[in-house]
Amino acid sequence: MEGFLISKTLFTSCELGVFDVLLGADRPLSAEEISEAVGSSVDGTQRLLAACTGLQLLNTHQDQGRVLYSNTEQASVYLTRSSPISLFQSIQYSSRTIYLCWHYLTDAVREGRNQYEKAFGVSSKDLFEALYRSDEEMVKFMQLMNSIWNICGKDVVTAFDLSPFKVICDLGGCSGALAKQCTSAYPACTVTIFDLPKVVRMSREHFLTEADQRISFHQGDFFKDPLPGADLYILARILHDWTDKRCIELLSRIYKACKPGGGVLLVEALLHEDGSGPLTVQLYSLNMLVQTEGKERTAAQYAALLAAAGFSSTQHHLTGKIYDAVLGRKEM
């Protein structure tokens, strides 16, 4: 029960803008000042601030018998909208979308399928039609991806030396955050983001600028449309959405399009080979059950999928962070 309460406390504090108000102030603030700034009751705000203090998200200061509050360093870095490595959008997506699906976890376990229809009243037959059921929901999902790769992207694109791959295609590249990490780490490369037309439109409107000259777009459905030729294809948090059969179907399409000597980089959260952990990845796999058709896998399971599609010389690298990397090669 405590974990649920902690999560909702964090979600509410971010949604109200508590950490943003404190970041913008030039001094610690009282509960009364914060409640006025965010438009909430004084009593409710006092209780929320006390809980955030207990969670070590806020510092308290005594001033002539009054309790004043300020952000901890972690709160300012990760929980405010303006921080370049903010988790704010990820937290918002968890609160407004993932949590609603998890309300039906019991049904998901019983039925063995995702719960979008019950949670949102939309058909889940086309996974991404459900995920992108409105422009607002699509932007929220893209903001989630953006925040993840702003924090974790460098670790996964440098897990292997990708400098020999000059032409890279990021399949399902979404907001372009991982493409930016690639062009930053490898100045000689170019990256094409391949995604659905409506995702490309949103990315151009909200996330990428004309200053990103080594990043381009290609519109299409990677299960149906021709894939652009490349030295390296990146699938970041893609295969965990799909069944083994669909994964092999996609990887086989990539193998045919891939140049000899090229490869495919999978970016996923890897389970231990015996399935005993990490706990975060085990929980992510449950999340895949309530939200998608897929699951989290071990490095050996991803290697088997790659081999079934024709790739060989598979290696994996544990980054020590949430997401790891698996690299498969197409022989010359």
Side-chain angles (χ1 to χ4, degrees):
M1 179 178 177
E2 190 172 279
F4 167 80
L5 299 178
I6 290 171
S7 296
K8 293 301 288 184
T9 299
L10 177 61
F11 294 165
T12 298
S13 301
C14 286
E15 188 168 340
L16 288 173
V18 169
F19 306 110
D20 296 309
V21 167
L22 289 169
L23 181 69
D26 57 1
R27 57 179 176 81
L29 301 178
S30 67
E32 291 78 10
E33 291 172 311
I34 295 168
S35 70
E36 183 178 353
V38 303
S40 59
S41 70
V42 173
D43 178 50
T45 303
Q46 287 173 332
R47 300 187 200 200
L48 184 65
L49 297 174
C52 287
T53 302
L55 291 172
Q56 299 183 340
L57 300 175
L58 296 178
N59 298 314
T60 57
H61 314 266
Q62 296 294 326
D63 179 46
Q64 297 179 350
R66 294 193 310 159
V67 180
L68 304 179
Y69 298 89
S70 65
N71 287 340
T72 61
E73 181 181 357
Q74 290 89 342
S76 290
V77 170
Y78 295 112
L79 303 180
T80 59
R81 289 176 175 86
S82 59
S83 170
I85 54 173
S86 173
L87 289 172
F88 177 85
Q89 298 297 343
S90 175
I91 290 166
Q92 289 290 89
Y93 189 80
S94 296
S95 175
R96 297 177 179 179
T97 300
I98 296 175
Y99 240 74
L100 295 179
C101 289
W102 274 69
H103 180 73
Y104 298 98
L105 177 60
T106 302
D107 293 330
V109 172
R110 282 181 177 146
E111 299 166 12
R113 63 187 180 91
N114 72 60
Q115 297 297 306
Y116 266 94
E117 197 157 347
K118 289 177 184 171
F120 304 109
V122 296
S123 173
S124 58
K125 289 181 180 178
D126 186 325
L127 174 60
F128 278 87
E129 282 299 317
L131 279 172
Y132 297 153
R133 58 194 175 276
S134 68
D135 282 359
E136 179 187 6
E137 194 66 21
M138 190 190 321
V139 171
K140 284 197 297 184
F141 182 80
M142 294 174 75
Q143 288 169 331
L144 165 69
M145 292 295 97
N146 211 56
S147 66
I148 287 171
W149 300 132
N150 283 343
I151 294 172
C152 303
K154 182 179 179 181
D155 292 313
V156 295
V157 301
T158 58
F160 300 100
D161 178 12
L162 303 181
S163 59
F165 303 110
K166 306 302 183 190
V167 180
I168 298 174
C169 182
D170 186 4
L171 295 171
C174 201
S175 70
L178 196 62
K180 289 181 186 178
Q181 295 287 355
C182 285
T183 56
S184 175
Y186 304 105
C189 82
T190 60
V191 182
T192 298
I193 297 169
F194 186 100
D195 218 317
L196 298 169
K198 57 187 176 183
V199 177
V200 170
R201 172 173 57 84
M202 285 295 183
S203 187
R204 283 175 166 151
E205 287 180 13
H206 297 280
F207 297 98
L208 282 174
T209 68
E210 293 183 3
D212 301 301
Q213 295 182 358
R214 290 190 290 124
I215 299 174
S216 60
F217 291 96
H218 191 115
Q219 299 181 12
D221 180 329
F222 51 49
F223 280 115
K224 299 175 183 177
D225 297 315
L227 303 179
D231 302 317
L232 179 74
Y233 295 85
I234 296 177
L235 292 170
R237 284 176 44 109
I238 300 294
L239 294 189
H240 75 168
D241 290 336
W242 304 101
T243 63
D244 287 357
K245 180 180 178 181
R246 292 287 266 167
C247 288
I248 294 169
E249 178 187 345
L250 177 55
L251 289 170
S252 297
R253 299 189 89 242
I254 294 169
Y255 186 83
K256 290 177 182 177
C258 186
K259 298 176 182 178
V264 59
L265 179 73
L266 311 181
V267 178
E268 299 285 0
L270 296 180
L271 285 164
H272 298 329
E273 290 302 327
D274 63 0
S276 63
L279 173 59
T280 298
V281 188
Q282 292 167 327
L283 294 174
Y284 281 3
S285 204
L286 272 179
N287 190 53
M288 292 299 100
L289 175 63
V290 298
Q291 282 205 282
T292 73
E293 298 176 11
K295 61 184 179 181
E296 306 299 349
R297 298 175 173 90
T298 67
Q301 288 172 327
Y302 281 116
L305 295 176
L306 287 164
F311 291 98
S312 58
S313 304
T314 301
Q315 304 169 267
H316 75 275
H317 181 89
L318 302 177
T319 65
K321 307 288 179 62
I322 296 175
Y323 295 103
D324 305 304
V326 179
L327 180 66
R329 302 295 293 261
K330 180 175 181 177
E331 299 297 337
M332 294 290 289

